[in-house]
Amino acid sequence: QVQLVESGGGLVQPGGSLNLSCSVSEQVSDVYEWVWLRRAPGKELEVVAAIRRGGRTVYEGSVKGRFFISRDTAENTMRLQMDALEPEDTALYYCHLESPGGVLPNLWGKGTLVTVSS
């Protein structure tokens, strides 16, 4: 069974940076889109950034210019570089492989906590 494991979360001061990683236990189909989501306290799950089919990257509005999503196919890893962090970025961040149309099972990690506080 494919496993997704996030790492890199932690406590950081406003204006600081973190680099999240999502390690996937085995090679997966190119059908999947690679997605980072987050759930902030008291808020709904939202897409932060994604690598869609064809390599197109998309970002949630509030993180544009501050976050950068990337994928290392050789290491089977997805990363999220987060700069200029704000308290509003505090959330549990999830790695997610999404199969458009549900052709394959969607896959989830258990999350890594990011806390931005002084």
Side-chain angles (χ1 to χ4, degrees):
Q1 186 174 359
V2 180
Q3 293 187 337
L4 281 60
V5 179
E6 302 95 336
S7 61
L11 173 63
V12 63
Q13 292 187 344
S17 298
L18 285 173
N19 193 348
L20 304 185
S21 292
C22 171
S23 178
V24 182
S25 61
E26 59 187 77
Q27 292 292 330
V28 295
S29 170
D30 289 340
V31 166
Y32 283 110
E33 297 183 337
W34 295 61
V35 188
W36 284 102
L37 299 96
R38 67 184 179 188
R39 188 189 300 276
K43 295 187 178 181
E44 295 185 353
L45 194 64
E46 66 173 354
V47 173
V48 177
I51 303 174
R52 298 299 186 189
R53 294 293 298 276
R56 180 174 60 95
T57 56
V58 295
Y59 296 91
E60 189 272 331
S62 70
V63 308
K64 284 182 179 178
R66 301 189 297 121
F67 290 11
F68 177 71
I69 188 172
S70 64
R71 180 186 166 194
D72 186 328
T73 54
E75 295 185 0
N76 222 24
T77 299
M78 176 174 64
R79 294 185 173 87
L80 185 67
Q81 176 66 37
M82 306 188 295
D83 298 323
L85 282 161
E86 303 169 353
E88 293 73 23
D89 297 316
T90 295
L92 191 59
Y93 284 72
Y94 295 94
C95 173
H96 172 51
L97 299 188
E98 182 177 300
S99 171
V103 174
L104 295 172
N106 290 326
L107 305 173
W108 290 88
K110 294 183 178 180
T112 185
L113 181 62
V114 171
T115 304
V116 184
S117 175
S118 55

